[in-house]
Amino acid sequence: MFSLKSFLLGSIFFLFIPQLFAQEFTVTGTIYSEDGHVLEEAYVYLSEHKWAVTDETGFFQISSVPPGRYTITVSRLGYQKQNLDIIISSNEDDLLQIYLEELIYNNKAVVVTASRTAQELEDVPAPIDVISESEIQKSGASTLKDILLEQTGIALSPNEDNSIQMQGFESDYTLIMIDGQPLIGRTRGALDLSRINVSNVHQVEVVKGPSSALWGSDALAGVINIITRDATDPFSINAYSEYGSRNRYDLGVSTSFMKNKSSGTFGFASNGSDGFDLSEEEFGKNQNPFDAVSLNAKLKYEFSSYTSLTVSGRYFRNQFNGEAITTVADEIISIEESGWQDDSNLQVRFETSPISRLSSSVVAYSTRYEDLSDTFFEDPEEEDIRTNNRQGLDRLELQNDYSWNNKHLTTFGAGATQEFVRAERFQGERTQTGSFLFVQHQYNSNEKLYLIAGARLDNHSAYESYLSPKLAARYRINDYFTVRASFGQGFKAPDFRTLYLDFDNAGSGYRIYGTKNILSEIERFNQQSLVAVELVNDISALGSLEPEYSTSYNIGTTFLLPDEVFRFSVNAFRNNAKNLIDAREVVELVDGSTIFGYLNINEARTQGIEVESTMTLFKQLTASIGYQFLDAVELASEERTLIRNSRVVTEDVEFEVPLPKRPRHSGNIKLFYREPVFDTEFSLRGIIRGEYFFNDTNADGNAEKNVDEFVEAHTIWNLTIGKRFGTNFRVQIGSENLFNYTDSEFLRFQPGRTIFTRINFDL
Amino acid sequence: MKHTSILFILISLFAITSCDNDSDDPETFTGNFETAQDILAGVNGFTFFNLRTGEVVTDSNSTNWDLGFQNAGFEIFIITNGGNRGPGQGGGILLDVDYDQVTEVPADSDFVVESAETYSIDPNPQGWWIYTATQLEPNHAVLPKTPHTILVRTANGGYAKLEVISYYQGNPDTSSPEFANLQTRPAAGYFTFNYEVIN
């Protein structure tokens, strides 16, 4: 089919001249890309000694060609090779105009997050999404948050700025990593995804469902792994600059090199804005003005084809300032706030193959996070408040992959982690240590069946050991249909907050103590005879917390046509979460005030269906839609007094309470269109959210219209238009939230319309 | 057409249950109810209420009252006329069941009788009421717990079921901004409740 098309393309521009003289001629021509750009360095071959390479104007010339019938072959890197039959019988200026079709590399995406080993995306038995570098570029996104929100099954959390929900869980339950190592620095459990600049990202891998069997704690709802780019060219430089509404700016420069055995990438990026404000009546802004910088570097040296050393690092700093209001002794006063966040990490990775069939890697990783915020009061009498919080994590990890033959691969490894947090509210520095072992076996039978089984054991100084298993299978029914099923467990360790944070608000009638201190505190009140009632049966159970965990099942199928012309996938999931930690009133004191403690009491269930479909309608138009149905409930049980057979009885009744702030229906629409005449790329993305209830206002566990507060169904549209100028420049203009949808009451983190322009330079 | 048939079925069902009531077991509720509005609870003493007449009475040492109301801050008392708190045959049961779903009166022995140690109706939060504190909206409010039904044995040995609708003057909309604002919130201690008495 293709050769017929090339033949037609070539024939249009070919001049048939009758053979008149038996002499030698000069053959000339120009080689173009399909969209009309001249192509230099194209190789034009006529016969063994008659060939040429095009110059910077795409022109070539082959002299001393005897007349006759020839097959001319034109090839160039990145384009389809073309063969044309021609007859040479005269000298003709610019005789041939040959248009080459761009070669679309159907590069099969390779992912690592699902098995800790490189696997082709379509092979992976677990639900996984990959966001490619080109998708990030086409959208014009600058931070991880922007691009994640456009994915099916990921929603912006209404609770914390720039954090996400996955499979019905808040962001505390999703592990976020860079090159397989965890990021730290969470606020109330949420990691600010706008801290991660995507300009050096090769791809983002999103595994949905628990993955603690590979990655340990926090991978309960899923894992987001950011894979940074490796150098692929001898030398390249990239610079971009963006400016948009509310003085939003984003600029950066990055460079990479590859020479002999060493390669590296370096990048600098800076972004910021004036923040945004949805309601003038409300004091302060929804987002404070900020300025952030980030630096990254990656250096790799290859000692041999299977031994290499990679050192990579990243530094981020964000500075903010703004105004807010607060309540001091029941009086509302305005305050000024300013501060910064600092986030850095360093990773050293050594890979080698000590014996045949075994590849090993050792990773040393260190990351630090610090934030500082100052609160200034207008009243000079009032003392300014400074809070400072430091966290760190150091890890050493070893992984071995042994391939028994082309069907069996065993992965095993171990590691040790040390974590600390230092903050006034934690009374100084707190340290925890942990170690882990993991093993996994993969079986791949002649492309049809693929099985993975694995488990990980986590030992920890602050809680009991935890074993997470997983089992996953993929079966390829035929060339088009694949089915997948997986089972796994995910856990989340009790964090520093639940272990150590003491908060004494005796003025408001309550105190909260961390698990490590609560027993001694209650004992202290007991000795002073201040305890009135113990509100839980077993007070001593407060002294230790177990990890929260979830058992999860995923089953799905994919229908795929060749060349990814059409792809349809559906995945059903169910997570049964147990031991969820909640603060409860545990002791009432004689003065009527209460003490709160943390308990493993809550249970939740989330289940749903995700559907994704992508189709390439013409070569220029790609459309995709995604949909998620979500049913997320907390499972509660309560002692209830009721009448059975005319007698009053008290029994435990189990009931479900819908979890708020989660749309039942959500989805997205994405259209990418490459307009061929002016070579312009259009990317339109719609993020659709169904209606959901925000607050259970009367606290009866039911969502009721007119009583509870509902967020109405809405769609946020983002549009980006990009055009290339020459081979080096790309200009984009775009609008986020094109139709300016805002809701100052509930969607507090959704800014209004942003218009931006972006210039990108590549060399 | 469809509505008519449903209505017909409902009427038939109602007729059947009514027949049952009359013949076998008279101690069932019919679903008819009265509403008592803005009964102001006592602060230092009780406000006494006669469920049979629907009136507030003052003579505490009599069987003229069935319930006594007192607003004592973190305890809200609804007492019955019996045991050590009155000369009548009163008692009470607090059920965690929707008012509409309570159709029968349980065995007499299951009624809790007032004594020095116990109240027939739990006066504490999480009994028939909740206190929202700062954890729920609206803050610092006393709201009737969902579900709850109070069964009462009256002073003369009859029965009643009761559901508290509001603890604030004028039965206000507790989801309104006026209610959320402590400056404009109506006064507390005013009981509005639905009830049905059977003998």
Side-chain angles (χ1 to χ4, degrees), chain B residues 7-128:
Chain B
L7 191 66
F8 176 74
I9 293 166
L10 284 174
I11 291 168
S12 330
L13 281 173
F14 187 73
I16 293 162
T17 40
S18 306
C19 291
D20 278 358
N21 289 352
D22 294 338
S23 53
D24 302 339
D25 186 2
E27 293 163 349
T28 56
F29 295 100
T30 61
N32 301 320
F33 64 86
E34 316 260 339
T35 303
Q37 282 177 348
D38 286 339
I39 307 301
L40 177 60
V43 175
N44 298 314
F46 288 92
T47 297
F48 298 104
F49 187 80
N50 185 325
L51 287 169
R52 294 153 286 161
T53 61
E55 282 167 359
V56 172
V57 293
T58 47
D59 182 9
S60 65
N61 194 15
S62 74
T63 54
N64 275 336
W65 62 275
D66 301 309
L67 295 172
F69 297 98
Q70 187 182 359
N71 166 15
F74 268 86
E75 286 173 311
I76 302 173
F77 296 103
I78 303 178
I79 58 166
T80 55
N81 190 344
N84 74 335
R85 296 196 173 89
Q89 303 168 43
I93 302 168
L94 175 58
L95 295 173
D96 301 300
V97 181
D98 275 324
Y99 180 76
D100 295 339
Q101 286 170 17
V102 178
T103 52
E104 58 168 342
V105 177
D108 249 327
S109 56
D110 288 337
F111 280 83
V112 182
V113 178
E114 303 284 349
S115 70
E117 300 84 40
T118 46
Y119 288 87
S120 41
I121 297 151
D122 184 358
N124 292 301
Q126 303 302 330
W128 61 268

Side-chain angles (χ1 to χ4, degrees), chain A residues 350-459:
Chain A
F350 180 70
E351 288 178 27
T352 189
S353 176
I355 55 170
S356 76
R357 294 183 181 172
L358 178 71
S359 58
S360 304
S361 66
V362 184
V363 177
Y365 176 71
S366 181
T367 178
R368 293 290 177 271
Y369 171 84
E370 183 170 2
D371 62 37
L372 181 139
S373 90
D374 282 318
T375 307
F376 307 103
F377 296 90
E378 274 180 3
D379 183 357
E381 298 282 295
E382 203 76 52
E383 212 172 305
D384 296 341
I385 301 170
R386 163 166 291 194
T387 59
N388 179 217
N389 165 33
R390 285 187 61 190
Q391 296 176 33
L393 181 149
D394 300 307
R395 175 174 286 180
L396 189 68
E397 196 173 278
L398 170 72
Q399 179 176 332
N400 298 292
D401 301 309
Y402 187 78
S403 102
W404 304 85
N405 49 44
N406 59 4
K407 288 182 177 168
H408 291 273
L409 175 70
T410 302
T411 300
F412 55 101
T417 303
Q418 179 165 327
E419 287 170 274
F420 74 84
V421 57
R422 187 187 315 189
E424 216 167 276
R425 60 204 177 97
F426 293 118
Q427 287 97 44
E429 183 167 307
R430 303 285 182 174
T431 310
Q432 296 182 353
T433 54
S435 59
F436 55 90
L437 283 168
F438 59 89
V439 60
Q440 174 190 260
H441 189 81
Q442 299 180 55
Y443 169 72
N444 192 354
S445 105
N446 55 41
E447 296 292 303
K448 275 258 177 216
L449 179 68
Y450 195 100
L451 290 170
I452 302 187
R456 169 164 161 149
L457 180 69
D458 279 88
N459 275 305

